[in-house]
Amino acid sequence: MAYTRGNLAVKEKAQERVTQQRYKETTKVVTRRTGLPAREKFLYLITLLAVIIVGGALMSRYAHIYELNKQAQSTIVKIKEAEKTIADLRVERETLNNQVVENAKRLGYVEASDKDVIFVPRSTTNTSTGTESSSKATSSK
């Protein structure tokens, strides 16, 4: 028996009596899946397209950055090769400068002293004839 508000003299409820039922009531919950409304489908489609466009833009930017980095690397390699070539050519220039005096002495040229004056005539002709006339003038001496 149940204790209700301090009174023990409570009549039993009819539901609590044990009675046999002839059938058992059961309830079955049926859920139907309804399709999405057209507006919601359109919203999902627009959202999906926006995500794809933003992702494509990001990927193209990263591809462009990658291409720029690749070009920078190849330019750095070309610069290093050019610097090596310049260094080699400077060394070759120095060796050729050192050989000029030796080759001139071997060919019979004499070094000019400070007292000797070399006169080079000034010409008013163009550079191609000026070089020819200056070479003729030098060879005649």
Side-chain angles (χ1 to χ4, degrees):
M1 280 210 314
Y3 178 76
T4 309
R5 295 186 189 168
N7 188 359
L8 294 176
V10 176
K11 194 178 190 182
E12 283 189 32
K13 295 182 180 178
Q15 293 176 353
E16 292 177 358
R17 293 183 199 157
V18 179
T19 59
Q20 286 203 356
Q21 297 178 350
R22 293 185 181 178
Y23 61 92
K24 183 179 179 183
E25 292 184 28
T26 59
T27 57
K28 185 175 182 182
V29 178
V30 177
T31 58
R32 291 185 181 174
R33 294 192 68 187
T34 59
L36 294 175
R39 281 183 148 176
E40 196 169 351
K41 286 181 186 178
F42 187 68
L43 179 68
Y44 288 152
L45 180 65
I46 294 297
T47 306
L48 182 66
L49 288 176
V51 168
I52 289 172
I53 289 172
V54 169
L58 288 175
M59 286 176 47
S60 68
R61 293 294 294 164
Y62 277 113
H64 182 67
I65 290 170
Y66 174 77
E67 184 66 30
L68 289 176
N69 285 338
K70 188 176 170 184
Q71 288 176 359
Q73 294 290 330
S74 65
T75 304
I76 289 171
V77 168
K78 287 179 183 178
I79 288 172
K80 287 182 181 181
E81 290 173 358
E83 287 175 349
K84 288 179 185 178
T85 305
I86 289 171
D88 292 340
L89 291 174
R90 284 184 180 160
V91 169
E92 186 178 347
R93 182 183 68 187
E94 289 297 321
T95 56
L96 289 176
N97 283 339
N98 293 337
Q99 291 175 357
V100 167
V101 176
E102 296 171 6
N103 289 339
K105 286 182 182 178
R106 192 172 30 129
L107 291 173
Y109 291 101
V110 181
E111 242 182 277
S113 64
D114 292 336
K115 295 178 183 177
D116 295 337
V117 177
I118 300 174
F119 178 73
V120 178
R122 189 178 214 182
S123 64
T124 57
T125 60
N126 62 15
T127 57
S128 63
T129 57
T131 11
E132 293 171 2
S133 64
S134 65
S135 63
K136 289 180 185 175
T138 343
S139 63
S140 65
K141 286 188 176 182

